[in-house]
Structures are given as C-alpha cells and as structure tokens.
Amino acid sequence: MTDTRVAQAPPTDLRGLVDWLIPDWELTPPTPEAVTLLPSFASKMRECERVCGQPYSEISHEIQDALVLRRLQQMFHTVRLNPLWRERLENAGIIRPPDSYEAWQRVPLSDKETQRDLFMGSREGMVVPHDRGGFEVVASGGTSSGSPLETVYSLRELSDTYAVAGHFLGTYQIGAHLAGTDPKWLLTTLADYQMWSSGTMVGGVLQSVPGVNYIGAGPVTAPVLEHVFSYRGPKALMGISAGIAILAELGAGMSQKAKDSFRVALYGSGVLPQRNRDELKALYPNLAILSYFAATQAETIGLQLAESSPVLTAVPGLHLIEIVDENGRWVPEGQEGELVVTRLHAHEAPLLRLKLGDRMIRRPRLDGPGPGPRAQQFEFAGRTGDILHLNDSQYSAVRAYDAVRDELRTAGVVDLDQVAHEIQFVNRREERVIGLYAAVDDVLTPAYRVDSLLGPAGLQRVLVNALPRSLSLFNDGEANPTSVAKTGYRLEVRFVPRHSPEIERTSVGKVPLVRDQT
C-alpha cells in the first residue's frame, strides 16, 4: 500500500489528525493479503509522536482515545474478512464499525473458550492463515483451568509491542531505581518450558528496556543468584510471586554489597504476601517491590509505578483495557469488574475483547498538567475464580481474607500478614467448612493461640462477621451475620509448614487463592 501523505501537512483538528494517521484506504483492507501490507499500529504511534512533539505515552487522553477508536474501527473491518468473526459479530447485531466507545461496548466479549476455538487446532479465527508463515504460537499451561491454551501473534508486531512496553517500563517504572553510570541489569526467573511461554513473552519486553543488560536466568539456585548479583551495577529482577518470595531465602548468604545492588523486584502473579515483602526488605535494604501484571495473551497489562500505591498503569497504545460488568459495559470509576483486553497490534490475528479471568477496580486515569504518562489505571482485585460459594451466595475470597485477617488481628490472636508465606481457602462443601490454610515457619504457636483465645465458637464469630464484608458493591446487603450462620458453614484456620503439600499448587508453582472440594 502506498502512503500518499508524505508531502501533506498533518491536519490540526482531532478528527482530521486520526483520519490522516489511519487513512480510509488502510481502514478497510479488501483481502487478507492486503492485511499483511498494512503499516503497523506502532508506526502510527511514532507518527503521532512526531506530529505532537511528545512521547506517545504523554500525549493527551483526547488524542490517544481518538486514535485508538480509529484503530478499533480498522480492526472491525479486518476481522470481518474472516467468516467466523463476521458471523459472530452479525449474530450480535453488529454490522457497522463502532463510531464511539459506547458502541464498542456492544461488541461481544470473548473468553478462553472463544480463544481456544479460534486459535487452536486449525486456527480458523485468524484473518491471515497461519500457513503463510511469520507467526509465533505461545501457550499458557492453563493455570486456572488446567487446559493448555494457545494464541498466535505476528512476529513483526511482537517486536513492536516488546519495544513499546519495554520503553515504558524502563522510563516510568524502573528507570529511577537503576541510576548511576555502572552497568544496569534486568533479570527474569520465569521458566520457559513445556510451551508455558510467559518466559518468552515477558522476556521479550524486558530485553527491550533501553540501557539494561538482560539475563533470562530461569529458576535460580542460591549460588547462581549470588554469582549474578556480584556483577557490578544495580539489579532488577522479575518473576512470579513465589519466585520473588524465595529470593529472601536464596540471598541470605550473599555479601552485603551484592544485597545492596538489588534495587527492584517485579512480581507477576497478582499478590505478594506482606510477610514476604517484610523479609525481602529486611535482606535487601535498597529494594523497591512492584507489580508487573501480565498474561500470555497480553505481555504487559499493567505496571505498578510506585510502592506507595497498588494502582496499575496500562502502557498507552499497547492494549485497550476495559473493566466491565456482567453485560460487558464499563463499570464506573471506583467499582470492580472483569478485566477485558484487546491487543491493538494485531493485524493478522486479532482477538476482540478477551476476558482474562481477573477482577479489577477501575481507577481514575493518570493525567496531569506537566510531563508524565497519561494512561488508564486499575487495581487488582483477584482472579475471577477467587470466589467462595456458600449455598447461593458468592463472596470475594480476597475481601474475605482481608476481613478474617482483621478479625484475628483485632482479637489479638495472630497477624496473618506478618506470619504467613502463603494463604489458601479450601471450601469443603460436603462438610460445610471454609478452611483457611496458612503456610508459616512456626506452626504450633499460632495454632495454640487460635485454640486458646477463640476456639470453635470464636472462629464462628469471625466467619459470620467477616463474610458480609466480603460481598461486592453490587451484592452488598445480600448477607448479614445471621444469614451466614444459617448456611451451616464453619471456619477452620489451619497452620501448616512452609512448602506443605496441604496447600495445593499448580504445575508452574502458583498458589490459587481458592480451591473447592466436594
């Protein structure tokens, strides 16, 4: 496709600018072959930067929103080249491209089954058939479902998104922590084996951070960690929560100079318990602990920019992030909904409005009069499956833990944040027992305190007081202590040794917050 804009000055009005950046002849490619010739969305972001004289991440929300909507319209025309997508949209009554974000919210949501149907097996959901080549297949081990899940990316667009995300991460998340003139190091302990490809996807971002030396270490032993931390210069390291937590144990014997060089720990699987944070901070005095929220389907979803706030910031221009209710509509700011992601850099294999299985609280957008990113913000609220089912009522396990922790702390029994390495609820439905398992160093002392200070009656008071506080905003008032008591459920708090097999783990070492037993 020939770009005839070279000799033209860009329009100064907003609508004219985005139509100039993605002109009509690119908006509606006539064939799958034409899709392969479309300029990348990353090139549109760079051109927008040039015209506006600012980094794309710092361009006004008004311009970003308009350009992303134009890109979504282009994606609509692209997916309609595939008969399965065309039928899917038409069955939902969607026959025209969205002319607003309100209209976009009527596009049907995709889930993991949609992804499996469209991008596994014969991969019939691709706009450009995979037999043409130039794709990368990545796979999740199915942390929640246990079933592998594949998706497909264009290699040319992967390199673009790695660069976009890596630059943002380096500039706004870790750059200030890796100061000075010494060499700077960025490691990941994510494994990349058995087609579980978070190591590939996140590693692609990390090695694209400007000015750092990248090490794809994989799981490390204490001698390997000590060897790498002996390198001159500040270090940042990314891993799953369990991989970050164990660094307190692995680094115990290293020199103080090596410990001092560890500046940023990025954890990538939801929540890092307070006990682990305290241990890490005690061992590594210069350490900042920040969240890097990602998924195989979206290599960078949200980055925690400051320890003082748990809010996650999306990388502008990488994905459209939506926090939606059960009808796929955006929830108001301050309310909780399900995380939905649309990858904007996906000409050949687009996937619209994918639910990733996470709950988020929608937060106000990051903005300001001076330099700095202008971006969507949200806060992790747990996995969609982190739900405790008591008869017909559903309780947030994240909120339930907070409430039970507060009840036990107020009663002077134990501070779970301080003693627990890992937490897991087990709903034993036939017995009507909610078991809260806590992996600790000292099993006997907290167990004795629970028995002596509370006993069965005291634990029952904890349960009936805590659960009503764990209902979502939409279900508030559905339960009270009396109604919880009538369910017949009782609470059991069980302390187990660290690494105990009584706490169930996935094949990649993650600890689901909730497990159901019938």
Side-chain angles (χ1 to χ4, degrees):
M1 272 180 199
T2 303
D3 191 342
T4 61
R5 301 170 304 154
V6 178
Q8 302 173 2
T12 57
D13 65 292
L14 181 61
R15 178 61 183 270
L17 174 61
V18 298
D19 289 356
W20 179 81
L21 287 168
I22 302 179
D24 288 343
W25 60 86
E26 295 177 8
L27 190 70
T28 56
T31 64
E33 184 60 31
V35 171
T36 67
L37 303 177
L38 288 174
S40 69
F41 186 61
S43 72
K44 307 302 181 181
M45 293 170 60
R46 291 191 294 268
E47 187 67 4
C48 190
E49 287 182 328
R50 186 188 68 80
V51 172
C52 295
Q54 292 177 289
Y56 185 85
S57 297
E58 302 188 12
I59 290 171
S60 72
H61 284 295
E62 184 183 30
I63 294 176
Q64 288 189 40
D65 289 348
L67 180 56
V68 168
L69 181 59
R70 182 74 168 172
R71 171 67 186 123
L72 296 175
Q73 293 167 346
Q74 184 184 37
M75 293 181 74
F76 173 88
H77 288 296
T78 300
V79 298
R80 280 182 56 85
L81 294 172
N82 177 285
L84 292 181
W85 276 108
R86 186 166 61 251
E87 180 183 15
R88 178 176 169 79
L89 291 168
E90 290 176 354
N91 286 344
I94 311 295
I95 58 175
R96 284 184 292 273
D99 58 3
S100 66
Y101 284 103
E102 177 68 24
W104 171 256
Q105 293 172 61
R106 293 194 286 270
V107 172
L109 297 174
S110 302
D111 58 18
K112 299 300 179 68
E113 287 304 313
T114 309
Q115 184 180 349
R116 184 172 286 109
D117 291 344
L118 295 179
F119 293 97
M120 292 186 69
S122 58
R123 311 191 200 281
E124 294 180 357
M126 296 178 59
V127 170
V128 177
H130 68 281
D131 57 10
R132 187 182 188 277
F135 296 100
E136 178 174 329
V137 176
V138 298
S140 164
T143 301
S144 299
S145 67
S147 300
L149 189 65
E150 297 177 4
T151 192
V152 184
Y153 298 108
S154 160
L155 286 171
R156 65 167 176 142
E157 291 175 308
L158 266 184
S159 62
D160 284 337
T161 60
Y162 290 163
V164 169
H167 185 270
F168 186 90
L169 186 151
T171 302
Y172 301 108
Q173 188 181 39
I174 68 171
H177 300 282
L178 303 183
T181 58
D182 284 343
K184 300 167 180 59
W185 303 91
L186 183 51
L187 304 81
T188 181
T189 54
L190 289 178
D192 185 17
Y193 60 92
Q194 296 177 342
M195 289 189 71
W196 181 66
S197 298
S198 293
T200 295
M201 301 296 287
V202 173
V205 174
L206 300 183
Q207 61 190 283
S208 300
V209 174
V212 303
N213 301 295
Y214 169 72
I215 300 177
V220 296
T221 60
V224 170
L225 187 69
E226 182 175 14
H227 172 74
V228 175
F229 273 29
S230 71
Y231 296 169
R232 180 169 58 91
K235 322 292 188 311
L237 186 150
M238 190 273 167
I240 64 172
S241 296
I244 296 299
I246 202 174
L247 297 177
E249 179 181 324
L250 296 180
M254 70 174 58
S255 71
Q256 191 59 48
K257 184 177 181 181
K259 294 174 186 175
D260 290 345
S261 74
F262 190 18
R263 304 298 172 82
V264 186
L266 302 175
Y267 64 94
S269 52
V271 176
L272 187 68
Q274 187 61 44
R275 169 66 185 270
N276 299 143
R277 294 172 182 270
D278 294 342
E279 290 177 339
L280 289 165
K281 291 277 194 176
L283 190 67
Y284 303 103
N286 299 320
L287 187 64
I289 302 172
L290 302 169
S291 174
Y292 179 134
F293 194 83
T296 303
Q297 298 85 357
E299 66 272 24
T300 309
I301 298 170
L303 300 173
Q304 181 185 359
L305 302 187
E307 281 191 294
S308 57
S309 170
V311 168
L312 302 170
T313 300
V315 178
L318 195 61
H319 307 95
L320 174 67
I321 304 292
E322 304 174 76
I323 313 301
V324 307
D325 62 20
E326 60 274 12
N327 299 313
R329 313 296 289 184
W330 296 359
V331 302
E333 289 180 359
Q335 293 190 13
E336 180 182 317
E338 187 160 7
L339 173 67
V340 170
V341 172
T342 300
R343 182 182 178 85
L344 297 173
H345 304 254
H347 283 316
E348 287 93 343
L351 179 54
L352 307 185
R353 306 196 78 197
L354 175 64
K355 298 191 295 182
L356 289 181
D358 296 289
R359 305 286 295 176
M360 295 286 176
I361 302 168
R362 185 182 176 191
R363 296 302 186 194
R365 298 202 291 189
L366 184 60
D367 206 349
R374 287 161 175 79
Q376 293 174 278
Q377 293 194 126
F378 40 91
E379 184 177 344
F380 182 69
R383 294 286 295 171
T384 303
D386 289 345
I387 299 294
L388 293 170
H389 296 267
L390 275 68
N391 297 343
D392 294 328
S393 294
Q394 300 181 15
Y395 301 86
S396 162
V398 174
R399 290 195 181 97
Y401 166 73
D402 289 343
V404 170
R405 176 204 60 202
D406 292 347
E407 291 281 337
L408 295 176
R409 184 188 288 159
T410 300
V413 177
V414 66
D415 188 333
L416 290 174
D417 276 352
Q418 294 299 317
V419 303
H421 296 282
E422 296 169 329
I423 290 288
Q424 187 172 77
F425 283 107
V426 178
N427 186 353
R428 305 204 297 270
R429 297 196 183 197
E430 287 190 1
E431 301 175 54
R432 292 186 178 270
V433 171
I434 296 293
L436 177 59
Y437 290 65
V440 297
D441 294 323
D442 173 12
V443 172
L444 296 180
T445 300
Y448 173 77
R449 291 184 63 81
V450 168
D451 289 341
S452 61
L453 295 179
L454 290 177
L459 280 175
Q460 189 64 12
R461 287 195 299 273
V462 169
L463 180 70
V464 300
N465 289 332
L467 284 188
R469 304 208 307 270
S470 59
L471 289 164
S472 72
L473 177 68
F474 305 110
N475 302 108
D476 192 23
E478 180 180 306
N480 54 43
T482 301
S483 65
V484 172
K486 286 182 177 178
T487 66
Y489 266 85
R490 59 185 176 87
L491 175 67
E492 176 186 277
V493 178
R494 181 178 296 184
F495 298 94
V496 299
R498 196 172 183 182
H499 310 305
S500 168
E502 290 189 75
I503 290 183
E504 190 173 337
R505 295 169 177 80
T506 70
S507 60
V508 296
K510 295 183 180 181
V511 177
L513 183 57
V514 178
R515 278 294 185 240
D516 277 306
Q517 293 180 359
T518 56

